[in-house]
Amino acid sequence: MCGILALILADPKSVDAASELHEALYLLQHRGQDACGISTCAAGGRIYQCKGNGMGATVFQNGQRLADLPGYMGLAHLRYPTAGSSANAEAQPFYVNSPYGIAFAHNGNLINARELKHFLDEVAHRHINTDSDSELMLNIFANELNETGKARVNEEDLFSSLERMTKRCQGAWACTAMLAGFGVMGFRDPYGIRPLILGARPRPDGASKDYLMASESVALDQLGFAEQRDIKPGEAVIIAKNSAPIFRQVHEQLAYSPDIFEFVYFARPDTVIDGISVHESRKRMGTRLGRRVLEVMGEERVKEIDVVIPIPETSNTSAPCVAQFLNKRYCQGFVKNRYVHRTFIMPSQTKRRAGVRRKLRAIPQEFKDQNVLLVDDSIVRGTTSREIIRMAREAGAKSVHIACCSPPILNCHIYGIDLASQTDLVAYNKTVAQIAKDIEADTVIYQTLDDLKSACAELSPRDPATQKFEIGVYCGKYVTEVPEGYFEYLDRLRGSKEVVTILDPIKQLTIASNESVPNATKINGDSVNGNYVGSVAMGGASSAFVNGEQISGEDTADQVSDRMDISLHNFGDYSTVS
C-alpha cells in the first residue's frame, strides 16, 4: 500500500508544484514510511526529481530540497514496501526517457508480474532494473505509447495506450503519470481495489483551475481542492496543460470493490474513499463489535469488565462505540509516541517488536487492578498484540481481553499490502482459543465478516445491498483470479528480503574485521554458508538472472542490498541530512 499524488497548476509559469506536493505528502505519510519522492516538470519539459529511502522530512530535508524541484506540475509517491526489495532504486516516481519522457507513481500490486517481465524482455526489448512491479507497469505503458510512432502524442493516443496496457496487466492499481511538457493523468484498476480521487481548485482569477489527484481525500481537503470526484474502476483521466480534465473508460468496469482494509486500518479517519466515510465506518464497526463481545462473553463476564481501552490510533474511533454499547467506562490507557513509525509497516519482525515498546506506554493508573477490554483494528502476526497485552499486565491489569474490529486474517494480501506469509499469520490454522493463548490474552473476540462488510456498505452512495469489497484476506476469495503458483512466488520474494535484513549485522561485522567467511555464498553482497538463494543465480559466476530469466555468461553481478536510481540524475541519492 502506497500513497500517490499528481498535481497540475493552471499557470504554466509557476514553480510551486513541489511545495504543494510536499505538503500533501505529510498528509499521506501514514500510507508509506519506507521511501518517498517527488518529480516535477518545468517550462521546456525538463523533469526534476528527488527521491530516496526515508520519510518526507528526511528525504526533502524539511523542505530545503524543494527549491531544486521547479515546475508547474508533478507527481509524488510514498512507498510502503510490498513483496520484493526495499532498495533506494525502488523509490518512486519512476522515470523513462522514451518515449516522450514519462514519470510514474503506482499504488497496488500486479499479480502477473512474471508474465510481464517475459513480455518486456523477449518482445518489447525493454530493460527492467528493479524488482518493482511499478517499473514493469511503467514500461508496459511506455511500450504501448511507443507503438504510435509519433513525434508528439495527443489525448486519444494516451487513452488508446492505456486501454492496451490495462488488458495486459492483472491485479490492483491506482496510478498517476506525467508526460514531459504535456500534462498529468491518473487511472485505476477495473475492480476499484485501490483508491484514487481527483480534486479541482479555482484560481483567484476565477477563469482557470488547478487539479490534484491523491490516494485519499484528506490531501485534497487540506489543500483547498473542494470540487472532488472519485476516479471510477477502469477509468482514466488526462489533464493536459491549460486544459480541463478528460475522462475515458479504458477498461470495462468489472466490479466496484474497494479494499476493505482501507477502512479497517490503512486510511486516515478523516478520509472519504469511494463515497464512504472512514470515520463513520469505524464507528459502526465499534457498535457491531460491542454486540459481538456481548454474544461471545455473555452478560455475566461482560459485567466484570471495568474499562474499555483502545490500542492507538486506528481503534480510537471504534473503541468509544464499543464502550457505549456495553455501558462501560472508556479511557485512553496508552500514551503514543508520535515520532515512531507505524509498526505494522515496519519491514521486519524484530523491528516491529522493538517498535511496539517505543511507540506505546501504558498508563499504570488506568490498568492497575482493572479487568480490561482492549480494542484493536486487526490482529495480523500477533507481535504487536502480544507486546501490548504484556504491557497491560505489567501495568497491573487483573485480566486482559481483546476485541478486534475485523475478522481473523487467514490469507495473504495480494493487492499491495504485504501483511505476511500465510504461515506467519497468527490466525493461520488456529482456533480463537489458540490465538488467545498465543498472544497471552484471556479472551479474543473477532468481528464477523458480515458485520464488517455491512458497517462499510451501508454508508455507500451506491446500492448498499450490492456494494462489494475486496475481502480475500479473510475468506480466501479474491476479486481477481490468482495465477497458479503466485503465493509461492510471494513467499520466495519475502524470504529473499528477510535474508537481506538478517544479514545486515553480519555485513557490519565482516566490514569491521575485514575478514571473509570461508566456503560461503554471497547473498546481496554478504557472505553466508549455503547455496545462492532468492534472485541470485545458482552456481556462481556462470549464471545469472536478467529480467527474471536465468542466463549463462561470465559478466554477472551479485544482487546488492541497495541500489541508486540510474534512470534520471537524482540528487537525493547523494545528499546527506544536515
Side-chain angles (χ1 to χ4, degrees), residues 9 38 62 123 214 230 313 317 321 337 502 555 576:
L9 301 176
I38 293 176
N62 295 313
V123 180
D230 291 293
E313 286 185 324
T317 307
C321 299
N337 181 346
I502 293 169
D555 295 330
T576 57

Side-chain angles (χ1 to χ4, degrees), residues 260-267 282 314 342 344-345 377-378:
I260 207 164
F261 213 68
E262 291 274 5
F263 303 96
V264 170
Y265 173 79
F266 221 86
R282 289 176 183 169
T314 313
R342 296 175 90 170
F344 163 73
I345 59 178
D377 52 82
S378 57

Side-chain angles (χ1 to χ4, degrees), residues 1 56 69 101 258 264 290 490 499 509 540:
M1 187 79 69
L69 294 169
V264 170
L490 280 183
V499 166
L509 180 61

Side-chain angles (χ1 to χ4, degrees), residues 457-501:
E458 66 186 24
L459 295 166
S460 174
R462 296 161 292 281
D463 182 3
T466 59
Q467 176 67 63
K468 305 295 183 183
F469 297 94
E470 161 48 38
I471 53 173
V473 291
Y474 304 117
C475 63
K477 296 179 181 178
Y478 298 94
V479 170
T480 67
E481 293 184 5
V482 183
E484 184 178 353
Y486 182 70
F487 295 109
E488 292 78 9
Y489 170 70
L490 280 183
D491 285 343
R492 288 197 300 273
L493 287 178
R494 291 190 186 99
S496 177
K497 183 167 66 173
E498 287 168 4
V499 166
V500 178
T501 303

Side-chain angles (χ1 to χ4, degrees), residues 117-191:
K117 284 181 181 179
H118 285 296
F119 169 78
L120 290 168
D121 184 30
E122 298 175 5
V123 180
H125 307 148
R126 298 186 72 94
H127 176 66
I128 302 302
N129 201 53
T130 72
D131 296 323
S132 172
D133 58 353
S134 305
E135 188 187 12
L136 292 177
M137 197 169 197
L138 166 58
N139 277 272
I140 293 290
F141 174 58
N143 182 69
E144 297 297 342
L145 196 56
N146 195 54
E147 293 297 312
T148 64
K150 292 182 176 181
R152 297 289 183 270
V153 290
N154 56 34
E155 288 89 346
E156 196 63 37
D157 298 321
L158 293 169
F159 280 130
S160 297
S161 299
L162 287 172
E163 287 178 10
R164 296 191 297 273
M165 182 206 70
T166 57
K167 290 178 181 178
R168 290 193 184 277
C169 297
Q170 299 173 20
W173 61 81
C175 300
T176 55
M178 178 173 65
L179 199 66
F182 183 89
V184 298
M185 65 196 84
F187 49 95
R188 199 172 174 193
D189 68 75
Y191 301 92

